[in-house]
């Protein structure tokens, strides 16, 4: 039996693993994808202290090595179900015959990409439409692409794509960006970046692959198309909460409600990182959550 099992190996989950292992707990971490969470799909990170500029995959690897060196048991599978019986959590993991058991459980499953849900999206998903510039950007070397969204993800990944694509259209539904001003300034000086503001996407068009996006200017109502080979959607995130939906620990938006110790209303069940109901979602805040949760779990397990 584990002292604590952590579901999700993003920065929050990995930080919780590091602190719990250093607190002498027996720790297991379960992750269905690559360790690193959203960092793995982030080209460059420039606001994580200690690294002026680091690739998302490199920071993920650094954290993962630290977790591994502390003897944390890693399960590269999906979690199917969570139950609690007489103060013990039982976690059903795809591919494991036996349920994993622990005294405390941490949900650090983060968020998943929202989709635009407009005509043509299903048809051209993987045939021009992507949610990951670092994974798919290289397909568009010297070709025109669009980035949809005005948050930090859209702006950062537009900068990354500007080094690869012949042209990057940044399409945003307002004339003010939600993302950091420093990123907007960096984009403004790039010759191959064009902002298309106050504009919403209506439809993706093409033949076998994506060829055009039909857009509408919200102020003039003008409908027009742009020619692109690729389109990267960065229109926000939604909580990856499928696993915990039956536990009634989320708010009306589906994010997990926790107390100051990052414990949910279920004793011994903690949550940290982007899945938590809060205002700011950064690597730095995920790490904050993971550290606080784990230090409280160390106390909880020794009670
Ligand atoms: P976000 O901040 O929620 O931004 C989503 C963007 O998509 C917004 O600009 C929004 O427009 C636009 N949008 C939403 N629905 C749309 C629709 N149906 N049609 C057109 N546009 C639509 O999401 P994010 O950029 O993925 O970031 C998620 C969180 O991670 C944020 O807290 C962000 O700060 C953080 N993050 C931080 C960093 C960093 O600090 N390095 C990097 C990446 C992400 P409106 O602005 O009009 O709502």
């Amino acid at each position: 039996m584990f002292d604590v099992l952590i579901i999700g190996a993003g920065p929050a989950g990995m930080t919780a693993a590091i602190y719990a292992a250093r607190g002498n707990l027996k720790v297991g971490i379960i992750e269905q994808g690559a360790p690193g969470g959203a960092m793995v799909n982030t080209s460059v990170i420039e606001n994580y202290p200690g690294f002026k500029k680091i690739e998302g995959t490199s920071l993920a690897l650094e954290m993962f090595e630290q977790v591994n060196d502390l003897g944390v048991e890693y399960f590269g599978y999906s979690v199917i179900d969570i139950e609690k019986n007489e103060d013990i959590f039982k976690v059903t993991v795809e591919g494991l015959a036996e349920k994993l058991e622990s005294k405390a459980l941490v949900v650090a499953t983060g968020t998943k990409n929202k989709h635009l849900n407009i005509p043509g999206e299903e048809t051209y998903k993987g045939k021009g439409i992507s949610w990951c510039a670092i994974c798919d950007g290289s397909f568009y070397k010297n070709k025109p692409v669009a980035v949809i969204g005005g948050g930090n993800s859209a702006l950062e990944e537009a900068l990354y794509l500007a080094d690869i694509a012949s042209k990057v259209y940044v399409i945003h539904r307002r004339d003010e960006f939600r993302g950091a001003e420093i990123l907007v300034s960096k984009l403004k000086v790039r010759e191959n970046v064009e902002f298309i503001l106050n504009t919403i996407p209506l439809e993706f068009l093409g033949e076998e692959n994506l060829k055009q996006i039909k857009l509408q200017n919200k102020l003039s109502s003008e409908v027009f198309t742009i020619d692109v080979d690729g389109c990267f959607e960065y229109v926000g995130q939604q909580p990856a909460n499928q696993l915990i939906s039956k536990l009634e620990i989320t708010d009306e938006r589906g994010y997990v409600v926790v107390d100051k110790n990052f414990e949910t209303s279920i004793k011994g069940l903690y949550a940290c990182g982007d899945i938590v109901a809060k205002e700011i979602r950064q690597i730095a805040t995920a790490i904050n959550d993971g550290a606080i949760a784990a230090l409280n779990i160390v106390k909880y397990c020794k009670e």
Side-chain angles (χ1 to χ4, degrees):
M1 170 143 89
F2 289 90
D3 290 313
V4 57
L5 283 167
I6 298 160
I7 307 173
M14 288 202 278
T15 303
I18 291 166
Y19 275 77
R22 288 170 57 87
N24 222 11
L25 299 188
K26 184 168 160 48
V27 185
I29 189 162
I30 312 159
E31 166 61 61
Q32 60 184 4
M39 291 190 296
V40 174
N41 297 335
T42 304
S43 49
V44 173
I45 294 160
E46 292 183 334
N47 58 359
Y48 184 67
F51 299 90
K52 277 189 209 155
K53 189 170 183 169
I54 184 165
E55 287 179 355
T57 47
S58 304
L59 186 56
L61 191 62
E62 295 276 350
M63 289 186 194
F64 183 53
E65 281 176 4
Q66 198 173 352
V67 168
N68 260 338
D69 287 355
L70 287 162
V72 171
E73 213 167 319
Y74 191 87
F75 300 92
Y77 302 107
S78 304
V79 174
I80 298 168
D81 194 31
I82 299 169
E83 11 167 12
K84 190 183 179 197
N85 281 334
E86 293 170 359
D87 284 348
I88 302 296
F89 290 96
K90 295 185 189 225
V91 179
T92 311
V93 179
E94 195 177 29
L96 293 184
E98 300 277 307
K99 290 180 184 179
L100 300 177
E101 294 187 344
S102 62
K103 292 180 201 159
L105 186 66
V106 179
V107 177
T109 46
T111 54
K112 52 188 181 184
N113 296 317
K114 276 190 189 164
H115 292 195
L116 281 166
N117 297 319
I118 58 171
E121 189 180 53
E122 272 305 310
T123 311
Y124 298 111
K125 191 192 276 184
K127 292 179 176 176
I129 303 175
S130 167
W131 286 262
C132 178
I134 189 159
C135 319
D136 300 328
S138 60
F139 296 138
Y140 304 102
K141 195 166 169 51
N142 299 323
K143 293 178 175 169
V145 299
V147 170
I148 301 178
N152 280 320
S153 299
L155 300 176
E156 278 184 352
E157 302 314 310
L159 267 175
Y160 172 77
L161 289 164
D163 286 334
I164 300 170
S166 57
K167 173 102 188 173
V168 180
Y169 296 101
V170 177
I171 300 159
H172 180 37
R173 63 184 176 183
R174 293 187 290 139
D175 60 0
E176 271 178 24
F177 287 97
R178 185 176 290 276
E181 188 51 46
I182 186 170
L183 296 171
V184 180
S185 307
K186 283 184 180 179
L187 281 166
K188 276 185 180 161
V189 297
R190 301 297 293 259
E191 278 182 2
N192 63 340
V193 173
E194 182 178 331
F195 292 134
I196 303 182
L197 303 179
N198 295 311
T199 296
I200 50 166
L202 296 179
E203 187 175 0
F204 293 108
L205 304 165
E207 290 156 14
E208 193 171 336
N209 294 311
L210 177 72
K211 289 271 168 252
Q212 288 186 317
I213 311 174
K214 191 193 278 184
L215 302 167
Q216 182 168 36
N217 184 296
K218 280 169 60 189
L219 306 180
S220 65
S221 299
E222 182 203 354
V223 174
F224 59 103
T225 57
I226 54 166
D227 295 342
V228 290
D229 288 292
C231 177
F232 293 83
E233 290 187 15
Y234 288 106
V235 291
Q237 305 288 318
Q238 56 193 359
N241 59 10
Q242 206 183 340
L243 195 58
I244 49 157
S245 54
K246 66 174 187 196
L247 300 180
E248 296 183 352
I249 53 171
T250 56
D251 67 6
E252 66 291 348
R253 295 172 61 223
Y255 290 95
V256 180
V257 177
V258 292
D259 64 15
K260 67 178 179 11
N261 298 331
F262 288 86
E263 191 171 21
T264 68
S265 55
I266 299 173
K267 201 162 168 46
L269 181 62
Y270 292 74
C272 54
D274 285 359
I275 185 91
V276 165
K278 58 181 181 177
E279 285 295 312
I280 310 289
R281 293 189 172 83
Q282 296 281 310
I283 299 171
T285 59
I287 279 163
N288 162 81
D289 301 356
I292 295 172
L295 290 172
N296 283 293
I297 290 168
V298 171
K299 279 193 227 158
Y300 174 79
C301 288
K302 289 179 179 167
E303 263 171 17

